[in-house]
Amino acid sequence: MNFLKSIFNKFFAKKFTCPYCMWQCNIKDVLYVCPVCGNSTKPGIFAREPIKCSQPGCGGIATVRRCPNPICNENIPASMLETINLPFSIVGVATSGKTNYITVMLNELGKCPGLKLSLSPANQDTREIQEHNRHNIYDINTPAEGTEGGYSTPQIWNIKNLAKKTRNTVPTYTFTIFDGAGEDYEKRLDPASTVCRYISTSKAILIALDPLILPGVRKFISQDALRASRGDSGEDKDSAYVVNKLAEYIKSAWGIRTGKLLDIPAAIMLTKFDMLLNHSDFASNALVKNPGLAIDSTGHINKTEFKQVDQEIRDWLYSIGEGNFINAVASHFKEYLFFGVSSFGCAPDLKRNLKYIKPHRVLDPVMWLFMKAGFID
């Protein structure tokens, strides 16, 4: 009976969403491709791996999983078919620091000893993207290049929680994260586009906001620092307008009305937070000034710290006259928290060079979202 139930769940009940084209199908429809002859086949209902190639005379093993959507045909990591998937999207306008944040966050996530997480790229594309951006930031001390407009390849990671390891198993998730171009989010893209469909299937949203969109911040930042950080023509953007535009984009992807709240956890990240720590009226004992989350030896996180940091940032935003910015966020999202992060710990100079790399609280937003998903405690 249990065997029949597992077969039913595997081939009929369990759905799979391709991370490239966002086409949903039953797992039984995923193609198995022979790397020897290139022949593809759908395994039978009672077939067990390894799947033998069905091409007469070949004798190979069909080890490559492939999306059955004929306009996609991308190879699928095996882990995506065998684990719980956590698709996250990071959105933000140009120069908000999305790519830098992803690169540094993943680097820190893989080496934080208290978390007991094992992180590895699920495919070659992901490994190359991360290594390229990591080389720019950590080896030559230069920010990563911004994401180009149009379709971007999602990063796909295998992540294991060793703190929840039992005698025979380790809880394993497939963590995918999509970084779209900032210019794309400033337009209202077609809801049928791959970018919008990825957002519509995400289980969490990270919204990267450059604090320089806040007038109360720009007034105490030097012009050189502004030019070095923004890297654009120097155009000032209204904070509430940026939030409304991003929320409109997300709602378009989800296909919901303008006045309805988004029912998805949203981490509102003020990036480049290093600019604020030395110029803002945060109390000397403010948690947001500490370098990172409190994590005990068993990998458990102090849950109250998230809300305390959130409140500190809200109080500061009100103190600089940004109540309308907070209200704009509240008018779109049902569940959200504010976070202050800095990928580098310092601002690049006018030549885009970084003096040092000292990330500040970059794990906070993703840890909160992992907790919401039940992956960590």
Side-chain angles (χ1 to χ4, degrees):
M1 184 67 180
N2 289 335
F3 171 71
L4 292 176
K5 183 178 179 180
S6 66
I7 291 293
F8 177 82
N9 288 335
K10 179 177 181 181
F11 288 98
F12 294 100
K14 193 172 180 181
K15 299 289 185 180
F16 168 73
T17 300
C18 174
Y20 299 100
C21 67
M22 307 317 299
W23 192 66
Q24 189 179 73
C25 65
N26 290 321
I27 281 189
K28 70 179 182 67
D29 293 325
V30 173
L31 301 176
Y32 280 67
V33 180
C34 174
V36 178
C37 68
N39 179 61
S40 63
T41 185
K42 291 182 182 179
I45 294 177
F46 296 102
R48 293 188 178 185
E49 296 187 27
I51 305 297
K52 293 183 179 180
C53 179
S54 59
Q55 183 72 18
C58 176
I61 302 297
T63 56
V64 179
R65 284 81 164 174
R66 185 164 293 170
C67 175
N69 184 354
I71 64 173
C72 175
N73 231 13
E74 290 280 355
N75 292 343
I76 306 299
S79 60
M80 293 206 73
L81 305 175
E82 300 168 356
T83 66
I84 297 173
N85 294 335
L86 285 179
F88 286 7
S89 290
I90 181 167
V91 301
V93 297
T95 74
S96 58
K98 301 185 306 303
T99 303
N100 291 318
Y101 170 77
I102 291 174
T103 305
V104 174
M105 178 272 291
L106 288 167
N107 188 73
E108 297 298 305
L109 187 64
K111 69 180 187 181
C112 182
L115 290 174
K116 297 185 177 180
L117 298 178
S118 173
L119 186 72
S120 60
N123 58 14
Q124 183 70 9
D125 286 343
T126 296
R127 189 189 71 79
E128 290 177 356
I129 292 170
Q130 176 67 5
E131 282 304 308
H132 175 74
N133 291 333
R134 188 191 177 285
H135 172 71
N136 281 350
I137 294 172
Y138 287 91
D139 295 337
I140 60 178
N141 284 31
T142 302
E145 300 98 339
T147 305
E148 296 182 2
Y151 176 67
S152 300
T153 301
Q155 292 196 43
I156 307 174
W157 294 84
N158 296 325
I159 183 167
K160 300 182 178 183
N161 188 346
L162 298 176
K164 291 187 175 184
K165 181 175 67 172
T166 64
R167 182 178 178 181
N168 297 316
T169 61
V170 178
T172 304
Y173 282 52
T174 301
F175 173 42
T176 62
I177 190 161
F178 185 84
D179 172 22
E183 292 81 0
D184 290 343
Y185 295 122
E186 296 186 64
K187 311 172 195 174
R188 189 182 182 92
L189 289 188
D190 179 3
S193 68
T194 301
V195 177
C196 282
R197 281 186 283 133
Y198 192 94
I199 293 174
S200 70
T201 61
S202 293
K203 294 184 179 178
I205 299 286
L206 297 107
I207 298 180
L209 295 171
D210 187 338
L212 297 179
I213 66 173
L214 305 171
V217 171
R218 289 197 297 268
K219 67 183 181 183
F220 59 71
I221 300 296
S222 71
Q223 289 302 308
D224 282 349
L226 286 172
R227 286 193 295 271
S229 179
R230 287 190 298 210
D232 59 9
S233 61
E235 176 189 3
D236 292 332
K237 298 170 182 177
D238 176 76
S239 54
Y241 173 80
V242 169
V243 169
N244 287 324
K245 198 68 177 175
L246 290 172
E248 177 186 89
Y249 188 101
I250 298 169
K251 287 181 177 181
S252 175
W254 275 58
I256 69 172
R257 299 188 308 274
T258 301
K260 187 175 181 180
L261 292 175
L262 283 158
D263 190 14
I264 181 174
I268 314 298
M269 306 187 304
L270 292 178
T271 59
K272 310 175 186 178
F273 211 68
D274 53 280
M275 290 187 173
L276 309 180
L277 295 177
N278 297 324
H279 298 280
S280 302
D281 296 328
F282 289 105
S284 60
N285 62 342
L287 273 175
V288 73
K289 286 189 172 183
N290 293 344
L293 276 169
I295 304 171
D296 67 22
S297 59
T298 63
H300 287 79
I301 294 170
N302 182 359
K303 299 178 178 66
T304 62
E305 193 166 322
F306 291 122
K307 291 190 175 181
Q308 190 169 341
V309 167
D310 170 78
Q311 190 61 53
E312 289 174 353
I313 294 177
R314 287 172 190 257
D315 292 342
W316 169 74
L317 287 169
Y318 279 120
S319 75
I320 63 171
E322 287 293 342
N324 192 42
F325 169 64
I326 296 175
N327 293 338
V329 174
S331 70
H332 294 291
F333 298 96
K334 182 181 292 186
E335 185 176 18
Y336 64 93
L337 288 181
F338 287 100
F339 296 89
V341 305
S342 174
S343 298
F344 309 136
C346 68
D349 61 26
L350 290 175
K351 294 182 179 180
R352 287 178 54 80
N353 295 320
L354 298 162
K355 294 180 181 178
Y356 52 83
I357 308 297
K358 191 176 181 181
H360 184 82
R361 303 196 75 100
V362 294
L363 295 182
D364 291 23
V366 75
M367 287 298 100
W368 177 63
L369 295 175
F370 279 165
M371 287 179 64
K372 300 299 297 181
F375 178 60
I376 61 172
D377 296 325

